[in-house]
Amino acid sequence: MTDKTILGGLDPELVTRLTTRREAIFKAGKLGVAPASAPIALGALSATTFGQGSPLPAQIVDTLNFALTLEFLEDEFYRTAINSRNLIPNTTRNVFRQISNHEAAHVKFLQGALGTAATAKPTFDFTAGGAFADVFSNYQTFLAVSQAFEDTGVRAYKGQAGNLISNNDVLTAALSIHSVEARHASEVRRIRGEKGWITGESRGTLPAPTQAVYDGEDNTTQGGANLAGLAGVPASAITEAFDEPLTKDEVLAIARLFIRA
Amino acid sequence: MSNIIKSRGDGKTQCASDGKRTFLKLSSAALAALAVSGTAIDALASGENAFLSIPIAPQTGAVDLGSGDTGILNYAYALEQLEAAFYTQAVGSPYGNMSAQERQVLTDLRDHEIVHREFLKTALGAGAIPGLTPNFGKIKFNNRKSVLETARTFEDLGVAAYNGAGKLLTNPEFLLLAGKIVSVEARHAAAIRDLLKPRSNNFSPKAFDQAFDPATVLKAAAPFIATPITANNLPRS
C-alpha cells in the first residue's frame, strides 16, 4: 500500500504540510521558531528524523498522542478481529476490512505528524478484564465492543477540537478523522440493528458496562438554546441531531478498561 | 429568547424585503419553543451582529452570507435549509416501493436537518439569512436511485463543508457546535451510502473525509438553490 493510498481523501497539500515540511507547522502554529529545512517524505518518517526540535506545541502533541492511543486501540482491535477465524461473517467482512484499513491509516498519519513525540502503543486487553471474554470468538460481542469504540472515538475527537484551534492544518486533519469515525459508528450500529445515530443517552442493546460511552448524549441545550419542545419534530430528533463531546478524562476512563499497560 | 428579539429589533439589520418578512414570520413559531440564555448565542446576538452586512443586497436580490463566524454559521444554515427541504419533499412524496427501513432513515434525516436548521436560525437571530428557495428540478422524487444519490451528495457535501469550515471559525464554542453537527451528518452519509451499496466499503470510502472550502461547496450546491447567494465576505483562513 502506498502512502498516497493510505492517506486517500486527505488534501495532499495538507498531508505534505503536516508530515514533510516542519516549517509549515511552525507557521501555522505561529510560534515564530526557525523552520527546519529538509523536506522529509512521509514514508521515510522516523522518530529520529522528525521529532528533532519538537516542532509542535505541547498542547497539540498531548492531544494528538491522546488520539494516537485511541487509534492504536482501534487498529489492533480490528486487526485482531479480522485475523480471528470464524469471527466476522462474509456478509460484513468488507465493512470491517475497510474500518481496519482506516484505523491503520490514522495511526500512521498521527505517528508521522508526531515524529519522536509519538507515544508508544499500549498493551491492550480487549476482554476488559473478562467483561467481554469472547470478544474475538463471538460476533455479537465483537460488534458490541466495536460500536462502543466507534461512538467513543467520535466523542473523543469532538472534545479535542478546541485544543487544536491554534493550528489549522492539525485541526482540519483531526476533523477529517472525526467524521470518518462517525461513519464507522453509524455503519456498525446499523449492522447491530440500531439506528446509525444516538437517541438520548441510550446504549440500546449494548451491555451495561458501556453506559459511560453514552452518558450526556441526552443534552438538548445547544449554544445556550434549549431545543427541547421544538415544534414539528419528535423529541428523539433533538438529541439525535447533535453528538456530544467527552473530555479526555472521560474517554480515558473508558479506554483504560481495555488497556493493560 | 430576549437576546434574539433584542437583536432583531436593534435596527442594525434593517433588511425588510419581502423575503425577510416572510422568513421572520415563518420562524416565529419555532422561536417560541426556544429558551435562550447561553454564551454562544449571546456572542452572536451582541458583538457579532454589530458587524453584520445586510443579508439581502438590494441591487441583485442575492443573499449575502455575511462575514466572520456569523458568515460561516449562515453558510451552514444555508446548507441545512437545503437538506431539510430535500428530505421533507423526499418523505412527503415517497418513491414507489420505499422500504420501511428507507422511510425510517429518510424521516430521521429530515427531522435532524430541521433541528439543525432551526438551531442555526435561532443562533443567528437577526443575523440569519432569509429562507432560501430550493431548486429540485433535476431530482426525480419518484425514483429511488435519484433520491438516495442526491441524499448521498448532500450528506457528503455537508461533511466536507463542516470539516472545511472548522478552521474558519474563531469562537471555540462555535467550533464545538459545528463538530456536534458534522458527526451526525457523517452518520447520515454512511447510512445513505449503505442503503445504496449494503454492507460494502461504500459507507466510508476514505480514511480521511474531505474538507472543502466554502467556494467549492457553494458551487456544488448552487444547482439546487434558486436564490442567488454571495459569499465574498466569508473568512478565507
Side-chain angles (χ1 to χ4, degrees):
Chain A
M1 193 182 303
T2 65
D3 291 325
K4 199 170 177 227
T5 309
I6 213 171
L7 294 172
L10 199 55
D11 174 10
E13 258 183 58
L14 190 153
V15 174
T16 305
R17 286 203 300 274
L18 274 175
T19 58
T20 70
R21 285 180 24 234
R22 285 197 284 165
E23 57 265 48
I25 292 174
F26 285 112
K27 193 176 158 215
K30 297 181 178 71
L31 292 180
V33 183
S37 53
I40 304 160
L42 176 62
L45 280 180
S46 72
T48 50
T49 54
F50 192 70
Q52 291 170 2
S54 190
L56 291 167
Q59 184 183 42
I60 288 182
V61 168
D62 289 349
T63 303
L64 293 185
N65 269 327
F66 167 67
L68 178 57
T69 298
L70 297 179
E71 298 289 356
F72 274 140
L73 174 84
E74 292 184 310
D75 180 36
E76 186 169 311
F77 175 69
Y78 290 110
R79 198 185 303 271
T80 307
I82 282 175
N83 291 325
S84 299
R85 279 191 170 194
N86 302 322
L87 176 65
I88 301 174
N90 286 336
T91 47
T92 59
R93 204 154 179 84
N94 286 337
V95 168
F96 289 104
R97 251 196 213 116
Q98 184 80 340
I99 294 179
S100 181
N101 287 341
H102 289 176
E103 310 303 5
H106 297 165
V107 166
K108 183 164 185 178
F109 172 76
L110 290 168
Q111 285 179 318
L114 282 159
T116 51
T119 191
K121 184 163 101 165
T123 302
F124 297 112
D125 169 22
F126 294 108
T127 73
F132 305 104
D134 57 355
V135 64
F136 293 125
S137 59
N138 181 324
Y139 181 52
Q140 292 305 323
T141 306
F142 161 73
L143 287 179
V145 175
S146 168
Q147 179 186 319
F149 283 172
E150 297 298 341
D151 278 332
T152 300
V154 174
R155 301 188 71 176
Y157 273 94
K158 197 185 318 295
Q160 296 307 308
N163 287 332
L164 303 175
I165 203 166
S166 67
N167 187 315
N168 284 345
D169 290 339
V170 173
L171 173 63
T172 301
L175 290 173
S176 291
I177 296 175
H178 168 244
S179 58
V180 166
E181 301 293 344
R183 288 177 189 259
H184 295 172
S186 174
E187 184 74 5
V188 174
R189 294 175 63 90
R190 295 182 69 254
I191 286 172
R192 292 190 67 253
E194 307 265 4
K195 289 182 172 187
W197 22 96
I198 300 163
T199 307
E201 57 180 6
S202 171
R203 66 175 187 269
T205 55
L206 289 183
T210 65
Q211 185 53 45
V213 176
Y214 299 96
D215 285 345
E217 283 281 3
D218 58 343
N219 176 36
T220 60
T221 299
Q222 304 298 347
N226 188 352
L227 302 174
L230 182 67
V233 295
S236 56
I238 309 284
T239 58
E240 288 171 359
F242 295 88
D243 281 335
E244 298 298 321
L246 286 176
T247 66
K248 193 181 281 187
D249 286 345
E250 288 166 338
V251 171
L252 289 175
I254 295 167
R256 273 194 205 101
L257 300 173
F258 300 92
I259 296 177
R260 191 175 291 147
Chain B
M1 180 67 80
S2 61
N3 284 316
I4 286 175
I5 289 173
K6 197 164 47 189
S7 64
R8 283 213 165 144
D10 68 6
K12 288 209 169 79
T13 52
Q14 37 166 357
C15 45
S17 75
D18 288 340
K20 186 72 178 177
R21 270 201 297 269
T22 306
F23 157 68
L24 286 172
K25 197 161 55 186
L26 285 174
S27 68
S28 61
L31 285 170
L34 304 174
V36 177
S37 62
T39 51
I41 286 178
D42 284 349
L44 276 172
S46 54
E48 288 272 349
N49 281 3
F51 302 100
L52 282 181
S53 59
I54 295 171
I56 296 177
Q59 304 90 337
T60 62
V63 170
D64 189 76
L65 298 179
S67 60
D69 283 356
T70 301
I72 296 300
L73 294 187
N74 263 328
Y75 164 57
Y77 177 43
L79 296 176
E80 298 292 356
Q81 286 189 44
L82 180 66
E83 288 185 308
F86 167 71
Y87 290 114
T88 297
Q89 193 163 339
V91 173
S93 52
Y95 52 79
N97 299 321
M98 183 182 282
S99 73
Q101 187 197 38
E102 288 166 359
R103 187 183 300 270
Q104 178 66 62
V105 167
L106 292 169
T107 303
D108 279 2
L109 268 51
R110 176 197 65 188
D111 292 340
H112 299 168
E113 308 302 3
I114 288 174
V115 172
H116 294 163
R117 183 192 68 196
E118 294 306 312
F119 163 69
L120 286 164
K121 183 159 65 180
T122 303
L124 283 156
I129 57 170
L132 302 172
T133 304
N135 174 9
F136 295 149
K138 294 236 169 73
I139 303 167
K140 301 186 191 97
F141 283 96
N142 60 358
N143 179 291
R144 176 181 185 272
K145 189 163 179 278
S146 177
V147 168
L148 293 183
E149 287 184 349
T150 304
R152 181 191 61 197
T153 298
F154 285 168
E155 297 298 340
D156 283 346
L157 191 63
V159 170
Y162 279 103
N163 281 349
K167 69 175 183 182
L168 304 178
L169 289 165
T170 58
N171 183 331
E173 197 165 349
F174 296 151
L175 175 62
L176 176 59
L177 285 164
K180 291 180 178 203
I181 293 175
V182 66
S183 56
V184 173
E185 303 290 351
R187 290 174 187 270
H188 293 173
I192 292 291
R193 285 175 157 273
D194 187 76
L195 291 177
L196 283 163
K197 291 185 183 173
R199 308 303 187 250
S200 69
N201 60 9
N202 192 51
F203 69 99
S204 184
K206 292 173 174 175
F208 300 83
D209 269 327
Q210 308 269 21
F212 288 160
D213 63 20
T216 304
V217 172
L218 290 169
K219 195 177 167 193
F224 300 101
I225 304 175
T227 312
I229 294 176
T230 57
N232 298 325
N233 299 313
L234 289 186
R236 289 169 197 280
S237 63

